[in-house]
Amino acid sequence: MSQRLSGKVALVTGASRGIGRAVALAFAREGAALVGVHYGANADAAQATVREIEALGARAVAIPADLRQGKAAAESLHRQFRAAAVEALGDPRFDILVNNAGIAPARALAETDEATFDEIVTVNLKAPFFLIQAVADDLRDDGRIVNVSTGFARIAAPSHPVYAASKGALETLTLALAPTFAARGITVNAVRPGVIETDMNAGWLADPQARAGAEALSAFSRLGHPDDVAEVVAFLASPAARWTTAQSLDATGGSKL
Ligand code: NAD
């Protein structure tokens, strides 16, 4: 396989499982030198991802930070990754940031209390914003920022209005920041997964009727796999995507076309 990310240093949030883990492993397969595996609470899962990355020949470090703490968590995450990069490679700078961590509780309008609203917006929007702010000076020229959004930014989601709005705002942030980073050749893009078979969806996908409905959403009549999204992220992170910025790339398997 070609090694499109040879020698690159990347930080992936929420990489202990699901899409983030698949992205971190895709980066390792593409030749990344060091991958930061951020996680919220499950240290064992993060260490398992670290070992999988190491087995692919890359270095990896697990970094905890509870993104419900917003700016403080983003700054702590940056400090820890910076120190790890200096220790591993003697250089705090890195090339790729993937804001993947997110939460998606199903709460319709009438069921959404203020605490839930604040938590969704903090994890999905506020923390990525302050993480980008914190790492900006350490990102190398020609670097990459990829924000993981959702197909619900395009498809109406009355079951998840705050989640959809938090990701819509993340996409608008992607657009707003692209000119600032373009001055250094850094691209800023978003990816919109559809329904992907991860722990996030394990509960409701256990119901055969719900599962069939989710499969029918895609033009390909199946659920997405984390790798289906990870490979789109890896493309955007690669030199091949140097001329693409401020875009939200659909990775919903053609849902609701
Ligand atoms: P997941 O629940 O399997 O993993 C989410 C990750 O985010 C975990 O690693 C978790 O540690 C991290 N995270 C959650 N809350 C956190 C917190 N407070 N602090 C720190 N980390 C926290 O989910 P996934 O399916 O892999 O989703 C990854 C991203 O893709 C999310 O942003 C999600 O909104 C988006 N997405 C997923 C789907 C899907 O169908 N799975 C569809 C569209 C978009």
Side-chain angles (χ1 to χ4, degrees):
M1 173 187 259
S2 68
Q3 298 243 297
R4 295 179 299 181
L5 302 181
S6 182
K8 301 291 186 193
V9 179
L11 173 60
V12 183
T13 69
S16 55
R17 67 184 206 180
I19 293 169
R21 170 180 166 275
V23 169
L25 292 173
F27 286 1
R29 281 194 299 272
E30 293 280 2
L34 173 68
V35 183
V37 175
H38 160 260
Y39 67 99
N42 194 338
D44 290 345
Q47 286 302 341
T49 304
V50 164
R51 285 192 296 274
E52 287 180 278
I53 292 169
E54 289 171 344
L56 290 164
R59 295 192 198 208
V61 58
I63 303 170
D66 183 350
L67 299 182
R68 289 175 298 186
Q69 305 307 318
K71 184 175 186 221
E75 290 177 349
S76 161
L77 170 49
H78 172 234
R79 268 196 309 277
Q80 294 178 73
F81 184 59
R82 201 172 198 282
V86 169
E87 191 179 319
L89 305 169
D91 190 335
R93 290 174 302 162
F94 68 110
D95 304 284
I96 303 161
L97 169 65
V98 181
N99 277 307
N100 162 80
I103 51 171
R107 298 279 190 285
L109 176 66
E111 298 157 5
T112 304
D113 59 28
E114 190 176 0
T116 304
F117 182 104
D118 288 346
E119 186 173 335
I120 295 171
V121 172
T122 299
V123 173
N124 294 356
L125 176 64
K126 185 175 180 179
F129 176 88
F130 284 107
L131 185 56
I132 294 170
Q133 183 187 71
V135 307
D137 288 346
D138 281 344
L139 262 188
R140 282 200 186 88
D141 289 0
D142 301 322
R144 299 283 186 265
I145 298 173
V146 182
N147 297 318
V148 178
S149 176
T150 171
F152 286 169
R154 167 173 69 79
I155 300 162
S159 57
H160 295 72
V162 180
Y163 171 65
S166 71
K167 295 292 194 178
L170 186 64
E171 290 195 13
T172 309
L173 181 68
T174 300
L175 173 63
L177 294 179
T180 304
F181 284 98
R184 292 195 280 137
I186 298 167
T187 67
V188 190
N189 290 293
V191 173
R192 295 175 174 166
V195 183
I196 309 297
E197 194 142 27
T198 65
D199 294 324
M200 178 180 267
N201 298 323
W204 66 274
L205 284 177
D207 171 14
Q209 219 175 333
R211 189 181 183 87
E215 288 169 350
L217 284 176
S218 160
F220 303 117
S221 303
R222 67 165 174 86
L223 296 174
H225 185 271
D227 284 340
D228 294 330
V229 179
E231 290 181 23
V232 176
V233 175
F235 161 69
L236 287 173
S238 78
R242 64 193 169 277
W243 205 235
T244 296
T245 196
Q247 301 305 302
S248 295
L249 206 51
D250 188 284
T252 67
S255 288
K256 289 222 175 185
L257 292 179

